[in-house]
Amino acid sequence: ASVDVEQGVPRQFWLTVHVPGDAASGQYTGTVTVAAGGKKASFPLDVEVYPFKLETPDVTYAHVYGAPNDAGRIAMDLRCMVEHGFNSVTPNIPEGPAERVNGKLKVSFALADLLMEKMKEAGMTGPVPLFNMSIQGSVSHNSYPHINFMRAFSYKLTDQAYLDDLTELSRLILDRAKEKNWLPVIMYPST
């Protein structure tokens, strides 16, 4: 209904029109009014509802999503994405950094578990492409720091230790997906 906008700072706003699933086909008209600083402006809005429903796509529509650690924000973001045709996201899973505990690779899946739960609640079906699985580029390369959660181990991509950790990480992800009943996942190393 309203939003505070700092004076002198331009802001862009999107107007999303939600058409009920049972709306009759035809032309609908209305007026949109905006007001600021004691001034008002109105413009006409015309919406045509067609006499058919779009089919549910049999492909995955997703984009990279750096989920915030906030259940309410995640739910809001995902609802918006579903309204605009997305049926999945490509998240940063697992979130880093990785560490070793008693010689075993350990990663956190807390945010991934929350995200998967909220994706189901929003009606997303997946599959969920996972790209955050390995080192991108060389250890000395500074691109994609959010992907490089295994970088701290300072091995080369050709080292057996790297290949072993990548295999172990893949098993950890698959085990977690089964344990927590995640949406289907597609895993691919980003090296």
Side-chain angles (χ1 to χ4, degrees):
S2 67
V3 63
D4 290 330
V5 179
E6 184 179 343
Q7 183 176 352
V9 178
R11 292 278 305 269
Q12 178 177 344
F13 295 93
W14 289 84
L15 177 64
T16 302
V17 178
H18 298 277
V19 178
D22 60 353
S25 62
Q27 191 78 23
Y28 293 80
T29 61
T31 303
V32 175
T33 302
V34 292
K39 296 179 182 179
K40 282 187 180 181
S42 296
F43 57 91
L45 176 67
D46 296 314
V47 176
E48 184 173 353
V49 176
Y50 294 106
F52 59 86
K53 293 186 184 216
L54 296 176
E55 294 180 16
T56 301
D58 60 354
V59 296
T60 301
Y61 290 100
H63 74 92
V64 175
Y65 178 59
N69 199 0
D70 178 325
R73 176 62 191 266
I74 291 172
M76 182 181 71
D77 289 348
L78 296 178
R79 277 193 309 272
C80 180
M81 289 180 216
V82 167
E83 290 172 359
H84 289 87
F86 290 88
N87 53 13
S88 189
V89 295
T90 301
N92 294 333
I93 294 178
E95 56 270 24
E99 60 181 328
R100 290 196 198 287
V101 177
N102 298 325
K104 295 280 188 182
L105 190 64
K106 182 176 169 78
V107 293
S108 170
F109 289 110
L111 186 56
D113 291 341
L114 175 63
L115 178 62
M116 290 291 185
E117 173 189 325
K118 295 301 176 190
M119 288 176 71
K120 287 180 185 179
E121 289 175 8
M124 289 187 166
T125 56
V128 181
L130 304 182
F131 70 94
N132 191 9
M133 294 177 53
S134 58
I135 296 173
Q136 177 117 0
S138 67
V139 172
S140 63
H141 194 265
N142 289 324
S143 68
Y144 305 104
H146 60 291
I147 297 174
N148 300 337
F149 73 99
M150 289 170 68
R151 178 183 298 211
F153 300 139
S154 298
Y155 39 48
K156 295 179 184 173
L157 301 181
T158 54
D159 288 352
Q160 186 61 45
Y162 164 75
L163 298 174
D164 291 344
D165 277 353
L166 184 58
T167 300
E168 185 177 354
L169 175 61
S170 299
R171 287 189 184 120
L172 288 172
I173 291 172
L174 291 175
D175 289 347
R176 187 62 169 211
K178 287 179 187 177
E179 174 191 349
K180 295 294 186 176
N181 195 29
W182 284 1
L183 291 171
V185 297
I186 299 172
M187 297 170 28
Y188 57 97
S190 57
T191 54

